[in-house]
Amino acid sequence: MFRNTYDSDNTVFSPQGRLHQVEYALEAVKQGSAVVGLRSDTHAILVALKRAPSELASFQKKMLRIDNHIGMGFAGLTSDARVLSNYMRQLCLSSRLLYSRPLPVSRLISSLSDRAQLNTMQYGKRPYGVGFLVIGVDSQGPHLYEFSPTGNCFEYFAMALGARSQSAKTFLEHNFESFKDMDLDQLIIQGLNALRDTLQQGKELDADAVSLSIVGPNADADASSPESKGAEKFRIVEGDALKKWLDQLEKRKGPSTTGTGTQAGGNATVGDVEPMEE
């Protein structure tokens, strides 16, 4: 009787001090297909594995555009990702209409985390069962943020979400210090290498099952300014356009060990639990 109370209501803590509904939402993120994010001094990118519900269905989208200078990849419930992405688009549009400027990435993430946190403390609601990696460019340069269903949002140099993401985090930990000086092509190859580590041993990346998104310098420039002509606005690359980078990947080596993410401005943080095999 008492267990059902705190197991189905996110406003009641269990005797161990846990919110089970929040833990269920985090588990949904861990079961989603992998997403990897990296940033350099000039660009931020996301690479993700796409899943198909069945052999008769097309691959599901993993990347969503928010504004010219912001985009995101997600792991977890697609329906929740649509709801939150629409909310993020509304915030960006309001900033352009009211203040005639693009919304700073940090302010967008702060508003997003506030909305998610409310769902962990209000009766009759549930936490969002989706996690984001958000990339963007503003006056401070490129950014990469992780959004969690708990309402926590942190900025990273590199990060991975989803199933089997621990192996990708290990690769990122060992190489993230070199990312800041890389050009776009090198950064993409490093991201694909990290994403490939989330696959089962012996498998390789398929161009049809991979999504890549890129945002670069001047993506937040005003449309009437000279900088907007050469701006690298948020874009999604899929299919045959990815083959030129996939062909440059080296053959896979031995199995990777588990690791953790690398947070901006601090040491490595504890990673998530390795989920069951797909």
Side-chain angles (χ1 to χ4, degrees):
M1 175 180 175
F2 291 103
R3 175 176 175 79
N4 290 336
T5 299
Y6 60 74
D7 193 51
S8 59
D9 180 12
N10 64 347
T11 64
V12 180
F13 285 89
S14 73
Q16 292 77 31
R18 298 160 58 185
L19 288 174
H20 286 235
Q21 286 293 313
V22 174
E23 293 183 8
Y24 297 156
L26 292 171
E27 187 62 28
V29 177
K30 295 174 186 177
Q31 297 296 335
S33 54
V35 183
V36 177
L38 307 82
R39 67 176 173 91
S40 66
D41 286 341
T42 57
H43 294 82
I45 70 165
L46 296 173
V47 288
L49 291 175
K50 296 186 292 184
R51 282 180 181 168
S54 71
E55 294 182 358
L56 300 177
S58 61
F59 289 102
Q60 293 182 334
K61 289 185 177 181
K62 290 288 290 183
M63 308 286 186
L64 295 173
R65 177 184 175 276
I66 305 301
D67 201 347
N68 289 337
H69 65 302
I70 299 176
M72 60 103 165
F74 63 89
L77 301 180
T78 304
S79 55
D80 285 359
R82 290 198 191 99
V83 170
L84 290 176
S85 65
N86 287 336
Y87 171 70
M88 296 164 71
R89 291 188 184 107
Q90 290 174 1
L91 292 177
C92 290
L93 183 59
S94 296
S95 177
R96 291 186 180 274
L97 290 176
L98 294 176
Y99 306 109
S100 300
R101 68 167 188 175
L103 186 65
V105 184
S106 61
R107 188 164 300 176
L108 173 67
I109 295 299
S110 178
S111 298
L112 179 64
S113 62
D114 288 343
R115 173 163 179 163
Q117 198 269 336
L118 284 176
N119 279 29
T120 69
M121 60 183 291
Q122 292 183 343
Y123 180 80
K125 294 188 177 181
R126 64 165 177 83
Y128 292 106
V130 66
F132 295 158
L133 289 182
V134 181
I135 57 173
V137 170
D138 55 25
S139 59
Q140 304 299 316
H143 299 278
L144 168 65
Y145 285 91
E146 179 208 13
F147 161 80
S148 170
T150 62
N152 288 325
C153 293
F154 299 103
E155 185 172 12
Y156 286 83
F157 297 115
M159 188 56 184
L161 291 179
R164 304 174 64 88
S165 61
Q166 290 292 91
S167 297
K169 292 176 186 177
T170 299
F171 177 88
L172 297 173
E173 263 192 351
H174 293 162
N175 298 277
F176 78 95
E177 293 180 348
S178 63
F179 293 164
K180 63 179 182 178
D181 298 322
M182 288 184 176
D183 60 27
L184 179 58
D185 288 335
Q186 293 174 325
L187 196 65
I188 292 173
I189 292 174
Q190 293 299 314
L192 292 174
N193 277 322
L195 186 66
R196 185 173 60 177
D197 282 352
T198 67
L199 299 175
Q200 297 179 9
Q201 193 65 25
K203 291 189 176 181
E204 293 290 340
L205 293 175
D206 181 3
D208 292 332
V210 176
S211 287
L212 164 69
S213 59
I214 304 168
V215 65
N218 299 320
D220 61 332
D222 187 85
S224 60
S225 66
E227 291 83 3
S228 64
K229 295 182 179 179
E232 296 188 46
K233 299 178 182 179
F234 180 85
R235 59 191 173 98
I236 299 174
V237 182
E238 295 178 330
D240 293 339
L242 290 170
K243 289 185 178 179
K244 65 178 181 179
W245 293 299
L246 293 173
D247 292 342
Q248 299 180 48
L249 297 182
E250 298 179 359
K251 293 183 179 180
R252 296 187 69 175
K253 298 180 181 179
S256 301
T257 56
T258 57
T260 57
T262 305
Q263 186 176 345
N267 296 324
T269 59
V270 178
D272 55 10
V273 178
E274 186 75 13
M276 297 175 61
E277 297 286 345
E278 299 176 39

